[in-house]
Amino acid sequence: MRNQALSDNMLNDLHMNTNDYNYGQTIFFLSFLAAELPSQLISKKLGPDNWIPIQMVSWSLVASLQAFLSGRSSFFACRALLGLIEGGFIPDNILYLSYFYTGWELPGRLSWFWVSYQSTQIISAFFAFGILRLRGHNGMEGWRWLFALEGMLTGIIGILSWFYLPPSPTQTATKSNWNIFRGKDGWFNEREEKIMVNRILRDDPSKGDMHNRQGLSFTMLWQCLTDYHMWPIYLLGLSWLIPSTPMSSYLTLQLRSLGFGTFETNLLTVSTLSTSSLAYTNNNQIPAYVLFILQLLFWTWLSERLNERFLVGILSQVWALPLLIALEFLAKNASPWSRWVLSTLLVGHPYVHAILVAITSRNAGTVRTRTVASALYNMCVQASSIISQNIYRDDDKPLYRRGNKVLIGICAWNFVVFIGAKLYYVWVNKKRERIWESMSKDDKETYLETTKDKGNKRLDFRFAH
């Protein structure tokens, strides 16, 4: 909701301009990126069931305190604190879900995780429309009420989640006397727990190597960082989202030029990240988010159905490239509706993040690598957000011809990375298969009993692609 606050003259009230806001967003992403890996290491030690609620309650306090912002410095401080606290939340959830689901089931669950996230963006537009009308009540601007109520709601959910989240599939009995959340006897009986554990371990035996309260040593951390088999996925995380991110900055101006009022604009827009001095907010519209959600669910389902990840993922670039070219060559006097449609289609692009996150988890091969890899991939995604925020520049407005050329170039590069990642994992799998098939049955048994190779370094491990 922080960006809906911008429509209530927050920047003017704080004597700030759009550049100040963009600096604050950069501070947020840098802090977020820096906190990703440390947060994952803390989560591995404390357990996601404890760390996730702590994160939520902590950032709810900071979010509420934004109601008392007094200017540029306090805004920057809050952005830094929120980035440090929220950093790691997504990979923490990914690691947590991997305890409960097999590698084949995880992409579908992750897609619904992002559907719920994007749905809140739609709902927040309606909440903001009502809450911002409190401007002047008790001498407070509407955006201050927005921050205060947002923080309170998040804090309540965080507290409830501490009672609700179980440590593992075999520890679902309630932590306290509050039996309304998980029940005194837990969610599953003994037979069901055995079935759950066996099916998860059969799918990925490495999940039995470390318990969910076991931290990582420095040696383990270094081994994870130097696991070059994961680097193609990190490289994808650094660039695949960039082509579709900056373009949504057009929407506010288009809606204003079409003469929509406040309520109509809130129906059509959901504020997200500011990327342009043309508009105080980078707005995505509700129709675009509906398209976004439908594509997210469909392409994630199709990737598992076809057992193809990178080739399905490349469709996000196939979708974006012609739209970017159209925007680049669209006449200056073209109808605002034309730009609105193109921007809507870009915002509603095939979101293959769930596919890439799931393949990161699956190809990690061990719990320790999965812990670090999830954080590193998300760090690359956050770095791409920082890059995206600086592609459209003030001296390139209003049509951003130079910025569009950069986006087209990055989109073309993404074709190379997606195909390259696919070919790399196919090559490694075939190489291992030749070695494995050349071994006798006794040699295979000896290798399995004596090898010191772990996770994705084992000869019998095959990468998903």
Side-chain angles (χ1 to χ4, degrees):
M1 286 188 181
R2 69 178 181 275
N3 295 298
Q4 274 95 354
L6 297 176
S7 64
D8 193 46
N9 296 319
M10 186 186 84
L11 295 182
N12 290 336
D13 292 337
L14 295 176
H15 307 291
M16 292 168 51
N17 57 32
T18 307
N19 288 340
D20 293 328
Y21 178 76
N22 286 338
Y23 295 147
Q25 289 298 89
T26 301
I27 290 170
F28 170 81
F29 281 118
L30 288 172
S31 301
F32 196 105
L33 190 153
E36 292 269 10
L37 186 54
S39 178
Q40 273 288 79
L41 299 179
I42 295 172
S43 179
K44 190 67 187 69
K45 182 66 176 179
L46 299 181
D49 56 304
N50 288 321
W51 184 236
I52 290 173
I54 290 173
Q55 286 178 292
M56 293 184 68
V57 172
S58 299
W59 91 55
S60 73
L61 292 174
V62 178
S64 295
L65 290 174
Q66 290 181 110
F68 303 99
L69 291 175
S70 59
R72 190 169 180 262
S73 298
S74 58
F75 176 73
F76 288 170
C78 280
R79 300 313 299 157
L81 285 173
L82 284 173
L84 290 172
I85 296 170
E86 292 182 20
F89 177 76
I90 292 176
D92 291 341
N93 279 276
I94 296 167
L95 176 65
Y96 183 61
L97 288 173
S98 71
Y99 295 155
F100 291 83
Y101 299 106
T102 66
W104 290 95
E105 296 166 338
L106 190 58
R109 272 61 183 187
L110 288 174
S111 67
W112 282 105
F113 173 81
W114 272 288
V115 163
S116 64
Y117 171 75
Q118 300 301 339
S119 298
T120 63
Q121 302 291 329
I122 297 173
I123 295 170
S124 67
F126 292 97
F127 278 128
F129 177 74
I131 295 172
L132 290 178
R133 294 194 172 200
L134 292 173
R135 171 173 275 269
H137 189 68
N138 287 341
M140 291 174 58
E141 294 88 348
W143 59 266
R144 296 188 189 273
W145 285 106
L146 193 65
F147 283 135
L149 295 174
E150 175 198 8
M152 289 174 58
L153 180 60
T154 304
I156 291 171
I157 295 173
I159 293 170
L160 295 178
S161 67
W162 189 86
F163 294 100
Y164 180 76
L165 296 178
S168 73
T170 59
Q171 297 170 286
T172 58
T174 188
K175 299 176 182 178
S176 67
N177 293 326
W178 288 39
N179 297 332
I180 59 172
F181 291 98
R182 297 204 305 269
K184 185 177 181 180
D185 299 322
W187 293 340
F188 313 109
N189 58 39
E190 185 177 355
R191 177 176 176 274
E192 291 169 334
E193 288 180 351
K194 289 180 179 179
I195 292 173
M196 282 192 69
V197 171
N198 283 330
R199 65 192 296 274
I200 291 171
L201 292 181
R202 285 178 180 176
D203 174 71
D204 186 354
S206 72
K207 291 182 180 179
D209 293 344
M210 296 180 73
H211 60 77
N212 63 348
R213 294 289 192 276
Q214 184 177 349
L216 272 68
S217 66
F218 180 79
T219 301
M220 289 180 179
L221 176 60
W222 178 249
Q223 290 173 346
C224 298
L225 293 172
T226 56
D227 185 355
Y228 57 87
H229 289 308
M230 302 301 297
W231 292 355
I233 301 176
Y234 304 153
L235 190 61
L236 270 172
L238 193 60
S239 63
W240 81 269
L241 264 174
I242 293 177
S244 58
T245 299
M247 210 51 62
S248 56
S249 60
Y250 276 111
L251 297 182
T252 298
L253 282 184
Q254 288 159 7
L255 292 178
R256 288 176 180 174
S257 67
L258 290 171
F260 290 116
T262 302
F263 183 65
E264 290 85 355
T265 300
N266 274 279
L267 285 176
L268 287 171
T269 63
V270 179
S271 299
T272 51
L273 167 67
S274 176
T275 60
S276 166
S277 60
L278 270 179
Y280 281 154
T281 56
N282 174 1
N283 295 279
N284 293 327
Q285 70 275 53
I286 290 175
Y289 266 110
V290 172
L291 177 61
F292 179 101
I293 289 171
L294 292 175
Q295 296 221 68
L296 167 61
L297 293 173
F298 174 74
W299 295 115
T300 304
W301 170 82
L302 186 66
S303 71
E304 293 302 311
R305 180 84 177 205
L306 300 178
N307 196 25
E308 286 287 351
R309 283 88 186 174
F310 293 118
L311 293 185
V312 171
I314 204 173
L315 292 175
S316 62
Q317 310 306 306
V318 173
W319 179 280
L321 185 58
L323 296 173
L324 291 170
I325 293 173
L327 278 169
E328 172 64 12
F329 292 100
L330 195 65
K332 185 176 182 179
N333 59 352
S335 167
W337 280 106
S338 301
R339 298 187 187 279
W340 183 83
V341 169
L342 291 173
S343 298
T344 296
L345 291 174
L346 271 172
V347 173
H349 69 285
Y351 190 68
V352 298
H353 192 47
I355 299 173
L356 295 177
V357 166
I359 204 173
T360 302
S361 178
R362 185 178 298 182
N363 284 354
T366 61
V367 174
R368 58 177 173 80
T369 304
R370 184 174 296 113
T371 300
V372 177
S374 296
L376 291 177
Y377 169 75
N378 212 51
M379 288 171 68
C380 291
V381 172
Q382 297 307 320
S384 78
S385 297
I386 298 173
I387 296 170
S388 301
Q389 198 171 355
N390 292 281
I391 290 177
Y392 282 175
R393 308 298 296 178
D394 187 69
D395 62 348
D396 193 28
K397 66 182 183 182
L399 298 179
Y400 299 102
R401 299 297 194 191
R402 185 181 67 237
N404 287 336
K405 289 184 177 69
V406 172
L407 292 175
I408 291 170
I410 293 174
C411 191
W413 162 252
N414 287 339
F415 279 87
V416 176
V417 182
F418 269 107
I419 295 173
K422 169 78 175 180
L423 294 176
Y424 174 76
Y425 288 123
V426 169
W427 173 74
V428 173
N429 285 350
K430 286 184 176 180
K431 181 181 178 181
R432 290 182 179 180
E433 189 66 24
R434 286 196 300 269
I435 297 173
W436 187 252
E437 290 302 318
S438 68
M439 298 168 64
S440 66
K441 183 178 179 181
D442 290 340
D443 290 338
K444 291 179 181 178
E445 291 178 355
T446 301
Y447 173 82
L448 294 175
E449 292 173 357
T450 61
T451 184
K452 294 183 180 179
D453 296 334
K454 294 183 179 180
N456 60 22
K457 296 295 187 292
R458 291 170 59 99
L459 281 176
D460 58 339
F461 182 90
R462 300 294 178 268
F463 290 100
H465 53 78

